[in-house]
Amino acid sequence: MLARLVEQVVAAEAAVAAAEAARVRALAAAGQFAVDATGPARSSARESDMAMREVASEIGAACRVSDRTVQRDIGEAMILVESYPLTVGAWEAGAISRRHVRVIADAGAELPLDARAEFDRVAVASAAEVSSPGRLKNRLAVAAQSLHPQTITERHRAGRRLRCIRVIPGSDGMSDLIATLPTVIAEAIHDRMTQQARVIWEAGREVSAGDGNRVESDGSAHGDTTVAPVPHAAETRTMDQIRADVFADMLLTGDPTLDPTRPGDGPGTLGKIRARVQVIVPALTVLRPSRENIAPADLVGRGPIDADTARALAESTSLPWDRVVTHPVTGAVLRTDTYARTAAIDRHLRARDRGCRWPGCTAPAIRCEIDHTTDWALGGNTDVSNLACLCQRHHTQKQFTRWNVRQLDGGLLEWTSPTGRVYTDHPVPYPLATDVVGVRFEEDPPPWEAGECEPAA
């Protein structure tokens, strides 16, 4: 029964995709009709706009929608048909959905016109290899950078000038406070607010489940505990609400006065929480920032970041960096090491997987749990060939639903759905040495030959 329902949904998705692609082609043709109607001379921009409005009004009246909406749709359709013909063809064939097309168009929007044909080819090939629009977005963000004539750093420096905070008044006495910030900073702020909100939420759950007391460790080697009263009632707010309250509290008071663990003479647990982000920084990108578009630094789950920010993170963080050694041809993770005494297997898996390995999931590895592909209780080894990163949602789903998974060579996960469909999930590849090192050394000498640095002894 379920298999038949899945087939029906898949068939309907393909039909919808074909119909949407046909609509886009028709709108683009209508737009071209308006362009042609003004003649090759196009005596004025006003005449061109009037011709487009006339066509949009005709279609809008027939479809009972606003002519402004139709004119906007025509503009988007003309860009898709002219700049991304392969994408539209794949959409028409039902190979991708409208959401995939939107991701492709957004990722290529900043590229010059002469680079979009190559990007269109890369986008369609990438869409065939990844399952969800979220994963496609991450991959295309890197592909777009490699085709852009400016480096990420150059564009980021220009973008930083637009940073601002603004208030948009809403209804019912509410407003939106919007901060436009560098992505790393925005992600770090959101992460810290989330961690702080979780402390409050979990303390509220303890009150709901217990007698109003909580157990705390005194930090001794023997783990002795003391009991202290929780200074607030059972928590009824959602995580979003708590996060917003903590955000306002921090900005207005300078430290989290909402902290349920706060003693009378200073900050509690919330004030000690620091943001966490997962960043991949290719070593050669740090040495050669001008070539960062070839192998950009990556904020896992969000896409490329500029080399200046990556270098600043590398220089300022007190946490150890994991060094990832990859195969020069395949890009597969061969080894990880660090001076810090952390779990080598966990480092390897975070480096190899980068995120949740459930097909289509984009949760970064630092938010994931390490799962035995074959359960340890069933004889599975605690080895990288039998371990993978799964977010909490999909870890639970693997355990308690009829989905099955087996791990193949190279960290590939082969998932089988309850209806027998097979999905192969590949680790996100690292840049190949032949693509990065070869290009650099063909045009420029190694950094140490140019006098920029010296190789290690």
Side-chain angles (χ1 to χ4, degrees), residues 314-361:
E315 293 172 352
S316 62
T317 183
S318 59
L319 298 175
W321 283 82
D322 293 342
R323 183 171 61 182
V324 183
V325 180
T326 59
H327 192 284
V329 177
T330 66
V333 174
L334 299 178
R335 184 168 56 90
T336 60
D337 61 25
T338 180
Y339 292 112
R341 291 164 52 186
T342 56
I345 288 179
D346 286 357
R347 293 199 308 272
H348 182 98
L349 292 170
R350 285 197 302 268
R352 185 195 71 184
D353 294 349
R354 303 207 204 186
C356 175
R357 296 297 307 283
W358 186 275
C361 185

Side-chain angles (χ1 to χ4, degrees), residues 239-262:
M239 280 292 291
D240 281 337
Q241 291 170 340
I242 299 173
R243 188 161 37 217
D245 292 345
V246 171
F247 178 75
D249 190 35
M250 289 283 287
L251 288 178
L252 293 174
T253 68
D255 61 80
T257 57
L258 293 174
D259 190 350
T261 66
R262 178 188 176 99

Side-chain angles (χ1 to χ4, degrees), residues 96-399:
I96 57 177
S97 69
R98 175 180 56 82
R99 292 179 289 274
H100 292 89
V101 174
R102 173 54 55 198
V103 166
I104 293 171
D106 289 346
E110 299 301 321
L111 290 174
L113 294 178
D114 58 1
R116 290 186 180 176
E118 176 62 16
F119 180 76
D120 184 32
R121 184 190 66 77
V122 172
V124 171
S126 298
E129 297 174 0
V130 298
S131 54
S132 71
R135 286 194 175 182
L136 180 63
K137 179 179 179 180
N138 294 338
R139 180 173 295 194
L140 292 187
V142 176
Q145 304 302 341
S146 67
L147 294 171
H148 204 288
Q150 290 183 305
T151 66
I152 304 172
T153 297
E154 290 170 337
R155 282 175 283 132
H156 178 71
R157 287 172 180 168
R160 284 181 64 91
R161 300 189 187 104
L162 303 177
R163 64 190 185 277
C164 62
I165 293 179
R166 54 201 183 277
V167 176
I168 300 179
S171 59
D172 303 323
M174 302 297 290
S175 294
D176 292 326
L177 175 64
I178 301 176
T180 300
L181 299 166
T183 301
V184 171
I185 295 176
E187 285 291 321
I189 290 173
H190 187 270
D191 178 81
R192 191 181 185 202
M193 295 298 101
T194 298
Q195 293 184 66
Q196 291 175 326
R198 187 172 292 115
V199 170
I200 296 175
W201 184 72
E202 290 177 351
R205 289 181 63 193
E206 291 178 9
V207 173
S208 299
D211 59 1
N213 292 333
R214 72 173 185 275
V215 177
E216 292 184 331
S217 171
D218 64 357
S220 69
H222 301 290
D224 295 335
T225 59
T226 58
V227 177
V230 176
H232 73 303
E235 188 57 68
T236 59
R237 294 171 293 176
T238 66
M239 280 292 291
D240 281 337
Q241 291 170 340
I242 299 173
R243 188 161 37 217
D245 292 345
V246 171
F247 178 75
D249 190 35
M250 289 283 287
L251 288 178
L252 293 174
T253 68
D255 61 80
T257 57
L258 293 174
D259 190 350
T261 66
R262 178 188 176 99
D265 59 350
T269 301
L270 295 196
K272 300 176 182 177
I273 291 175
R274 294 294 178 264
R276 298 179 302 172
V277 293
Q278 184 178 359
V279 180
I280 305 295
V281 185
L284 291 177
T285 295
V286 176
L287 291 174
R288 290 281 180 166
S290 63
R291 301 303 183 85
E292 63 178 313
N293 283 11
I294 299 174
D298 179 46
L299 177 63
V300 176
R302 287 296 180 267
I305 60 174
D306 62 290
D308 283 350
T309 298
R311 191 179 299 104
L313 287 171
E315 293 172 352
S316 62
T317 183
S318 59
L319 298 175
W321 283 82
D322 293 342
R323 183 171 61 182
V324 183
V325 180
T326 59
H327 192 284
V329 177
T330 66
V333 174
L334 299 178
R335 184 168 56 90
T336 60
D337 61 25
T338 180
Y339 292 112
R341 291 164 52 186
T342 56
I345 288 179
D346 286 357
R347 293 199 308 272
H348 182 98
L349 292 170
R350 285 197 302 268
R352 185 195 71 184
D353 294 349
R354 303 207 204 186
C356 175
R357 296 297 307 283
W358 186 275
C361 185
T362 60
I366 56 174
R367 301 282 180 274
C368 292
E369 301 166 353
I370 304 299
D371 171 67
H372 284 77
T373 306
T374 299
D375 290 349
W376 182 82
L378 299 178
N381 296 324
T382 302
D383 183 80
V384 293
S385 62
N386 187 49
L387 295 169
C389 295
L390 292 178
C391 67
Q392 193 278 332
R393 170 188 173 87
H394 291 132
H395 191 178
T396 303
Q397 194 164 334
K398 170 184 174 289
Q399 288 180 296

